[in-house]
């Protein structure tokens, strides 16, 4: 409470409140137990099991099922938009409609509605999209990450949603993994502080703050440590694979982000699809219950990953019982919720899952709901439409632009190529990602895997930003393939990866695409200074282009605000970004880290030039 009042005073200063969340620490969730226990005592088994069930709205047979099954939560997976469309209004109407159903139930326990707001409220048209975590890791700036998360929470609240499946505190150890960009850094020291900052931002001055959302640290634990070739899905490389480490090393590398996010008060944690030494995390009692809850004192609740329990052995009832008995509190079903409910009830009735475990799970969920104020009359249950005017606003975009410029890592700058002169007569721009909002935003943007092109309105592509940055006397010409540069004062080529997300993004080879190499070659053939900007979810093998680049910038997946790139190109901002991932010379160096005698990357962890 003290914490809330302290921040509330500072909130009078508008956006300034976004960072005013320093000490004292978050209120203990167990302090809500007397209310949680009183409610629990009134609940039937159906009501308890309902609280533990999370379908995706896409699969709800009818709105009435929210009340029929006393559902505790609903999610929209990354491709699950309202049937009415992907507008702010359609989302707010959908969530309000569902929330009203839950309020009609006997105990009127509101829903937690979850989405993957992982770099802004990225699934909704017109939201501000921030750099993916790999770029934020390069900023090494917790105050900025907290501010970004605060804005994300506001934009999420504008749609009535109250839970974001973020931050991802993975420590990706092998950049061939398609989720590398969801991680802040390849070392735990680059993840710990930033993950906690994101929780402070999302959960705001306290969970009861109607402008905060519930955070979710994921994917516990070792999601980024899987052995190459151990994956259980897709191309069978790394995603959902097996992390083969002794417990001491697992703790040193992969648990660190949980220590700090728990201390920051994170209310939910998502166990990983991956396994630890052959046992899927969804059924891993040692790590879920003994370590996380008993030893680390996590008081919130565990939400499974999307259908993750389906990967456990045995029939459905066995999978459910194994996971709940291991310590899972809520299950992201997401489709067969009626079957899930029937089997979990059966397991509770025949003792396969002890009632004490069911009660513990429900108590944890209720604690969080009560802490969020959801059980208090008219307290943030419905969408706050007053927030719409701030959704995708110029103020929010300004913070994203700042994040972009702080995230850029300057890897090479010969002959003072950068900053570019604004008095150049002509700048020639090329490359497939120069004018492509989709490539700039990457996966988890509008759709799960993301898409090239211009699916996300608002914001500025890098080409548009360059045009805005130069005086009107400077001509900016553009050719996708980089041809036609002769006579220009400088060339800027924007190349890199096309959007992808989990599973599909796993790669065995991180060489640049032939069209990217060709675009750099074509630009260089004109004999002008060439700046290469790489948009990618991870370091890539640069042997075919680095020598031809006079300056080289790693811009990661910057999101909607291309202006931040132009700020650095033209010297309005001196580069400050430092690599949070080692940059290998060749594929042979992938997965080799600081401390290894063979560590000899092209650019070391922490590298980054300025001028
Ligand atoms: C991902 C999670 C995500 C969930 C819900 C899963 O496939 O692994 O990170 O939160 O889907 O969309």
């Amino acid at each position: 409470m003290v914490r809330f009042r302290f921040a509330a005073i500072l909130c009078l200063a508008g956006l300034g409140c976004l960072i005013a969340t320093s000490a004292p620490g978050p209120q203990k969730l167990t302090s809500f137990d007397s209310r949680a226990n009183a409610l629990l005592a009134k609940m039937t088994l159906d009501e308890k099991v309902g609280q533990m069930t999370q379908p995706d709205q896409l699969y709800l047979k009818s709105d009435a099922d929210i009340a029929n099954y006393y559902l505790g939560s609903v999610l929209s997976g990354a491709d699950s938009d309202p049937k009415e469309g992907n507008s702010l209004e359609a989302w707010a109407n959908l969530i309000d409609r569902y929330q009203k159903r839950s309020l009609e139930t006997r105990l009127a326990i509101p829903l937690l509605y979850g989405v993957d707001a992982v770099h802004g409220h990225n699934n909704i048209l017109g939201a501000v999209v921030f750099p993916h975590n790999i770029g934020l890791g390069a900023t090494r700036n917790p105050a900025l990450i907290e501010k970004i998360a605060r804005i994300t929470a506001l934009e999420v609240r504008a749609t009535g949603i109250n839970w974001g499946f973020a931050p991802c505190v993975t420590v990706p150890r092998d950049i061939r993994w398609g989720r590398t960009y969801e991680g802040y850094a390849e070392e735990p020291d680059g993840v710990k502080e930033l993950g906690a900052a994101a929780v402070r931002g999302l959960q705001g001055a306290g969970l009861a703050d109607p402008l905060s959302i519930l955070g979710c640290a994921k994917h516990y634990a070792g999601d980024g440590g899987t052995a190459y070739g151990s994956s259980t899905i897709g191309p069978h490389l790394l995603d959902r694979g097996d992390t083969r480490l002794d417990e001491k090393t697992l703790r040193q590398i992969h648990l660190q982000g949980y220590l700090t996010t728990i201390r920051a008060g994170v209310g939910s944690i998502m166990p990983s699809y991956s396994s630890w030494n052959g046992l899927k995390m969804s059924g891993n009692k040692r790590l879920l219950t003994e370590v996380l809850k008993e030893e680390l004192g996590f008081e919130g609740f565990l939400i499974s990953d999307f259908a993750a329990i389906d990967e456990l052995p045995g029939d459905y009832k066995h999978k459910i019982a194994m996971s709940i008995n291991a310590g899972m509190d809520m299950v992201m079903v997401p489709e067969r919720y009626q079957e899930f409910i029937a089997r979990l009830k059966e397991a509770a009735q025949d003792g396969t899952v002890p009632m004490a475990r069911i009660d513990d799970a429900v108590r944890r969920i209720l604690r969080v709901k009560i802490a969020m104020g959801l059980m208090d009359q008219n307290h943030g249950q419905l969408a706050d439409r007053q927030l719409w005017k701030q959704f995708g606003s110029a103020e929010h975009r300004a913070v994203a632009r700042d994040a972009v410029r702080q995230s850029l890592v300057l890897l090479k700058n010969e002959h003072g190529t950068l900053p570019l002169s604004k008095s150049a007569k002509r700048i020639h721009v090329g490359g497939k990602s120069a004018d492509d909002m989709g490539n700039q935003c990457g996966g988890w943007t509008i759709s799960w895997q993301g898409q090239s092109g211009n699916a996300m309105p608002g914001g500025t592509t890098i080409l548009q930003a360059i045009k805005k940055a130069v005086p009107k006397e400077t001509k900016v010409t553009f050719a996708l393939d980089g041809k036609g540069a002769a006579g220009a004062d400088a060339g800027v080529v924007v190349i890199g990866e096309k959007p992808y997300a989990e599973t599909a993004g796993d790669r065995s080879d991180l060489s640049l695409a032939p069209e990217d190499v060709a675009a750099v070659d074509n630009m260089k053939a004109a004999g002008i200074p060439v700046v290469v900007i790489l948009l990618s979810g991870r370091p890539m093998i640069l042997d075919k282009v680095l020598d031809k680049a006079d300056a080289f910038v790693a811009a990661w997946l910057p999101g909607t605000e291309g202006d931040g790139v132009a700020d650095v190109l033209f010297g309005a901002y001196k580069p400050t970004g430092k690599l949070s991932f080692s940059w290998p010379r060749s594929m042979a160096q992938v997965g080799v880290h600081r401390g290894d005698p063979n560590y000899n990357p092209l650019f070391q962890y922490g590298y980054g030039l300025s001028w």
Side-chain angles (χ1 to χ4, degrees):
M1 281 304 134
V2 176
R3 179 180 157 86
F4 178 68
R5 256 185 267 122
F6 166 74
I9 295 163
L10 293 161
C11 269
L12 296 174
L15 254 194
C17 74
L18 301 183
I19 48 171
T21 51
S22 40
Q27 193 168 0
K28 277 183 78 62
L29 286 168
T30 43
S31 65
F32 298 95
D33 275 5
S34 54
R35 278 179 78 188
N37 285 331
L39 193 53
L40 190 63
K42 292 185 205 153
M43 291 171 81
T44 62
L45 179 60
D46 289 278
E47 287 166 332
K48 291 177 185 176
V49 167
Q51 285 298 311
M52 297 170 69
T53 309
Q54 186 192 57
D56 189 311
Q57 68 91 23
L58 206 58
Y59 303 113
L60 273 180
K61 306 270 183 303
S62 74
D63 287 11
D65 274 1
I66 291 180
N68 292 342
Y69 292 98
Y70 311 100
L71 297 177
S73 182
V74 177
L75 92 143
S76 271
D79 284 327
S80 165
D81 298 340
K83 286 184 196 71
E84 294 72 22
N86 190 5
S87 67
L88 190 50
E89 185 170 10
W91 278 94
N93 289 345
L94 177 86
I95 313 303
D96 282 359
R97 222 174 67 216
Y98 289 163
Q99 205 57 283
K100 283 177 187 157
R101 292 281 180 167
S102 70
L103 294 171
E104 281 162 22
T105 57
R106 185 177 75 99
L107 296 170
I109 304 176
L111 289 171
L112 286 169
Y113 198 100
V115 282
D116 290 294
V118 297
H119 59 149
H121 199 6
N122 41 252
N123 284 331
I124 286 82
L125 291 172
V128 177
V129 177
F130 294 92
H132 267 297
N133 284 350
I134 193 167
L136 298 184
T139 73
R140 287 167 160 65
N141 184 345
L144 173 70
I145 276 85
E146 186 170 339
K147 217 192 244 187
I148 289 171
R150 200 76 283 275
I151 290 171
T152 303
L154 276 182
E155 297 210 355
V156 170
R157 274 289 183 175
T159 51
I161 295 171
N162 51 19
W163 187 10
F165 301 129
C168 185
V169 291
T170 182
V171 185
R173 303 293 279 174
D174 186 325
I175 60 174
R176 291 171 291 188
W177 188 37
R179 307 193 79 158
T180 297
Y181 65 78
E182 295 186 57
Y184 295 111
E186 71 181 8
E187 300 282 353
D189 65 1
V191 172
K192 288 189 313 198
E193 221 188 328
L194 302 188
V199 169
R200 289 195 302 273
L202 293 174
Q203 298 194 169
L207 281 170
D209 177 352
L211 297 183
S212 79
I213 59 171
L214 175 64
C216 181
K218 68 185 188 185
H219 312 81
Y220 177 82
D223 53 349
T226 58
Y228 186 77
S230 68
S231 164
T232 54
I233 191 161
H236 296 283
L237 301 181
L238 291 132
D239 201 35
R240 307 190 186 187
D242 189 19
T243 298
R244 296 167 184 158
L245 292 175
D246 60 40
E247 189 169 321
K248 185 164 171 246
T249 316
L250 183 86
R251 283 173 182 256
Q252 281 166 347
I253 299 175
H254 298 285
L255 248 62
Q256 297 301 314
Y258 298 93
L259 305 184
T260 53
T261 48
I262 290 172
R263 225 174 289 136
V266 74
S268 70
I269 291 179
M270 186 185 292
S272 179
Y273 278 124
S274 56
S275 306
W276 175 46
N277 294 333
L279 178 57
K280 283 279 175 196
M281 283 303 306
S282 307
N284 200 314
K285 190 168 183 179
R286 166 87 192 123
L287 289 181
L288 302 192
T289 297
E290 291 172 23
V291 174
L292 196 54
K293 293 179 174 176
E294 293 171 4
E295 183 191 320
L296 302 182
F298 173 60
E299 295 173 347
F301 69 90
L302 297 179
I303 169 74
S304 84
D305 207 338
F306 200 86
I309 70 162
D310 294 22
E311 297 189 15
L312 293 174
D315 62 18
Y316 200 37
K317 181 178 166 190
H318 184 267
K319 295 174 199 283
I320 295 169
M322 182 177 176
S323 190
I324 305 295
N325 285 337
M328 197 71 78
D329 301 304
M330 185 189 280
V331 173
M332 194 183 287
V333 180
E335 186 169 355
R336 40 175 166 165
Y337 60 96
Q338 290 155 313
E339 193 189 348
F340 173 83
I341 287 169
R343 294 291 88 78
L344 179 53
K345 262 181 70 180
E346 203 179 291
Q349 278 158 343
D350 68 16
T352 315
V353 175
M355 265 320 289
R357 178 71 269 277
I358 302 268
D359 284 349
D360 174 55
V362 178
R363 186 181 301 109
R364 286 170 176 274
I365 295 163
L366 293 178
R367 244 181 218 163
V368 170
K369 290 188 174 183
I370 294 165
M372 291 171 77
L374 288 176
M375 296 302 296
D376 302 332
Q377 285 261 305
N378 302 322
H379 185 99
Q381 287 95 349
L382 301 182
D384 180 355
R385 288 156 202 254
Q386 291 299 317
L387 296 175
W388 286 10
K389 53 183 178 301
Q390 290 180 61
F391 189 86
S393 67
E395 288 79 5
H396 290 184
R397 291 189 189 280
V399 175
R401 175 179 184 162
D402 187 29
V404 173
R405 54 190 180 207
Q406 293 193 41
S407 70
L408 301 192
V409 182
L410 181 62
L411 295 177
K412 179 178 178 183
N413 192 21
E414 287 188 350
H415 332 294
T417 304
L418 286 177
L420 292 172
S421 162
K422 280 195 178 184
S423 56
K425 289 204 178 52
R426 176 159 83 97
I427 294 174
H428 192 57
V429 180
K432 68 168 186 267
S433 297
D435 196 24
D436 193 305
M437 186 56 82
N439 289 359
Q440 219 170 281
C441 290
W444 299 101
T445 312
I446 298 299
S447 59
W448 179 39
Q449 297 288 327
Q451 61 277 300
S452 297
N454 290 325
M456 179 56 97
T460 317
T461 66
I462 294 172
L463 176 65
Q464 288 164 343
I466 291 174
K467 287 182 176 165
K468 276 169 70 185
V470 296
K472 57 180 182 315
E473 297 73 38
T474 305
K475 221 169 140 194
V476 178
T477 49
F478 173 63
L480 209 61
D481 60 7
K483 286 186 179 160
D489 299 275
V492 178
V493 201
V494 191
I495 58 172
E497 293 187 300
K498 289 184 180 165
Y500 56 81
E502 55 184 310
T503 306
D506 281 13
R507 300 263 187 283
S508 53
D509 181 7
L510 297 172
S511 303
L512 291 172
E515 72 268 18
D516 286 346
V517 178
V520 177
D521 283 345
N522 290 337
M523 196 69 92
K524 193 62 197 169
I528 57 171
V530 173
V531 181
V532 177
I533 300 174
L534 179 71
L535 301 190
S536 63
R538 49 194 155 193
M540 304 197 66
I541 305 305
L542 302 183
D543 53 352
K544 298 202 177 77
V545 298
L546 194 59
D547 284 350
K548 296 164 204 155
D550 298 279
F552 197 102
V553 179
W556 315 111
L557 299 168
T560 45
E561 306 315 304
D563 287 331
V565 176
D567 288 341
V568 170
L569 288 183
F570 294 99
Y573 183 85
K574 282 188 187 165
T576 50
K578 303 285 177 227
L579 288 181
S580 61
F581 282 80
S582 306
W583 202 293
R585 275 169 221 282
S586 68
M587 289 310 291
Q589 289 177 339
V590 167
V592 182
H593 299 281
R594 279 188 314 181
D596 187 308
N598 297 321
Y599 186 63
N600 178 27
L602 181 59
F603 301 110
Q604 304 227 354
Y605 183 83
Y607 182 87
L609 302 171
S610 195
W611 54 72

